[in-house]
Amino acid sequence: MNILVTGGTGFIGKALLPHLTHERITVLSRNPPRAYQQLGHHIKVIDTLDTLPNLDDFDAVINLAGEPIINKRWTERQKQEICQSRWTITRQLADKIKAGNHPPHVLISGSAVGFYGDQQSRSFDESLEVNHQDFAHRVCRQWEEEAQAAQSEHTRVCLLRTGIVLARHDGALARMLPAYQLGFGGPIGSGQQYFPWIHLQDMVKGILFLLKHDEASGAYNFTAPYPVTNKEFSRTLAKVLHRPHFFKTPAWLLKLGLGEAATLLLDSQRALPKRLQEQGFHFCFPKLEHALEETVGDKSRIDEPGGV
């Protein structure tokens, strides 16, 4: 299989590529030398899609590109960067797919549970229809619409509505660890908001599942089947690390530091992966404590996902 990957040097991309060693991989990167350094020379790297009239040479496209959404305050300039880093490349991919006579069989494209906005304590699956005005929803809605434009009788489109991906050396958990390791961890805001999470190994395994199952299309919640509140997540992380759990970050302080981006940590999304499970996907880490033990606890053995 010949696969085009965007975002291959990102957090999830770097975890995914080692599991595609039997495929022919092309990575789109603005910095090919750095991509070769990080990923190895067994892959092909291109720095633009402009030289490709279409994507007929590829069997599949995995689109993981996008400016990190939580790393900086949401200034107008940063919002523009967050949007365009997702929308523009996805639009280009869809246009190239539609331009061919023998297009890729599948486009797997990123999204996030931010699509749903704040749903408080009620649980929901992919059938929930929302139309919020908040920034995270607007980013995800157009991101998905750009990808869905590639859908045809020849090309199926799968959308990854991803929660917080758990890994030791990257992502949100890696940024949380230092405070918890020092004994300063604790819930954020009220702690009652639901915290949709997924282990990195299940994230990778899920992408491979959608890649291989021809009947898969549409939106999928990439979240573990047992979501927890932020307070429960925090308490479990402290337990796994054998650290106290006394401190609390008030919502006002988070808003002061992050501004509007604080909504990503204060909104509640009790998202369930109904469609993945109905189609036969089995999670390696359905429950939080096991996932954290594997990732950061005494039983932690690996930093990258294992066999999938």
Side-chain angles (χ1 to χ4, degrees):
M1 186 180 292
N2 197 0
I3 303 175
L4 173 64
V5 179
T6 74
T9 59
F11 169 30
I12 295 170
K14 286 190 292 186
L16 173 66
L17 290 180
H19 299 286
L20 298 173
T21 52
H22 297 297
E23 319 296 345
R24 289 174 293 162
I25 304 299
T26 300
V27 170
L28 178 66
S29 173
R30 289 174 294 182
N31 190 334
R34 186 180 66 179
Y36 280 122
Q37 183 180 26
Q38 293 183 4
L39 305 175
H41 288 267
H42 61 286
I43 62 169
K44 178 181 179 181
V45 179
I46 59 175
D47 62 1
T48 181
L49 294 175
D50 293 341
T51 58
L52 302 177
N54 53 57
L55 299 184
D56 284 5
D57 288 340
F58 299 99
D59 302 299
V61 178
I62 302 174
N63 178 30
L64 304 173
E67 170 77 7
I69 198 168
I70 192 66
N71 284 7
K72 301 176 183 177
R73 288 179 68 93
W74 287 350
T75 62
E76 288 306 311
R77 181 176 180 178
Q78 182 62 11
K79 283 184 176 181
Q80 187 72 7
E81 178 63 25
I82 289 169
C83 291
Q84 295 309 318
S85 66
R86 289 162 171 75
W87 299 348
T88 301
I89 185 62
T90 306
R91 185 180 308 125
Q92 289 176 332
L93 290 170
D95 287 345
K96 296 288 184 181
I97 288 172
K98 291 187 291 183
N101 295 317
H102 304 284
H105 303 306
V106 60
L107 166 62
I108 298 175
S109 191
S111 185
V113 292
F115 176 90
Y116 298 108
D118 185 6
Q119 295 298 323
Q120 300 185 20
S121 62
R122 67 167 174 161
S123 61
F124 59 88
D125 57 38
E126 297 89 348
S127 64
L128 179 67
E129 295 186 9
V130 295
N131 187 14
H132 290 273
Q133 296 303 311
D134 61 277
F135 177 66
H137 172 74
R138 288 187 286 112
V139 171
C140 292
R141 176 172 287 277
Q142 184 159 343
W143 196 7
E144 292 187 6
E145 288 175 353
E146 300 289 356
Q148 288 282 30
Q151 180 84 30
S152 73
E153 61 181 357
H154 305 292
T155 304
R156 58 188 174 90
V157 175
C158 298
L159 304 168
L160 313 177
R161 291 180 180 169
T162 305
I164 304 297
V165 182
L166 303 185
R168 186 182 187 95
H169 294 305
D170 211 337
L173 179 60
R175 290 193 289 275
M176 296 167 63
L177 277 178
Y180 279 82
Q181 289 168 331
L182 291 171
F184 297 131
I188 295 170
S190 69
Q192 298 308 306
Q193 68 274 28
Y194 273 83
F195 195 76
W197 62 274
I198 185 170
H199 192 284
L200 179 59
Q201 183 170 321
D202 282 324
M203 183 75 209
V204 169
K205 183 182 174 185
I207 293 173
L208 298 176
F209 179 88
L210 296 182
L211 186 66
K212 296 172 183 176
H213 283 72
D214 292 339
E215 73 280 6
S217 67
Y220 292 84
N221 288 341
F222 267 56
T223 57
Y226 296 98
V228 297
T229 63
N230 176 265
K231 184 176 182 179
E232 185 178 349
F233 182 93
S234 178
R235 183 170 56 239
T236 305
L237 178 56
K239 175 185 174 182
V240 167
L241 293 172
H242 308 294
R243 295 294 186 271
H245 186 248
F246 299 124
F247 292 87
K248 181 178 179 180
T249 303
W252 67 265
L253 183 60
L254 197 68
K255 292 175 182 177
L256 183 65
L258 293 177
E260 187 182 353
T263 59
L264 294 178
L265 299 174
L266 297 173
D267 284 356
S268 180
Q269 285 128 4
R270 196 176 180 180
L272 302 176
K274 181 180 179 181
R275 298 196 66 230
L276 271 176
Q277 291 186 303
E278 283 183 342
Q279 293 181 10
F281 181 80
H282 298 283
F283 284 82
C284 295
F285 300 96
K287 295 189 176 181
L288 180 64
E289 187 165 352
H290 183 205
L292 289 176
E293 284 283 3
E294 176 70 15
T295 306
V296 300
D298 294 338
K299 299 176 184 178
S300 175
R301 300 181 304 276
I302 54 174
D303 297 327
E304 296 294 338
V308 293

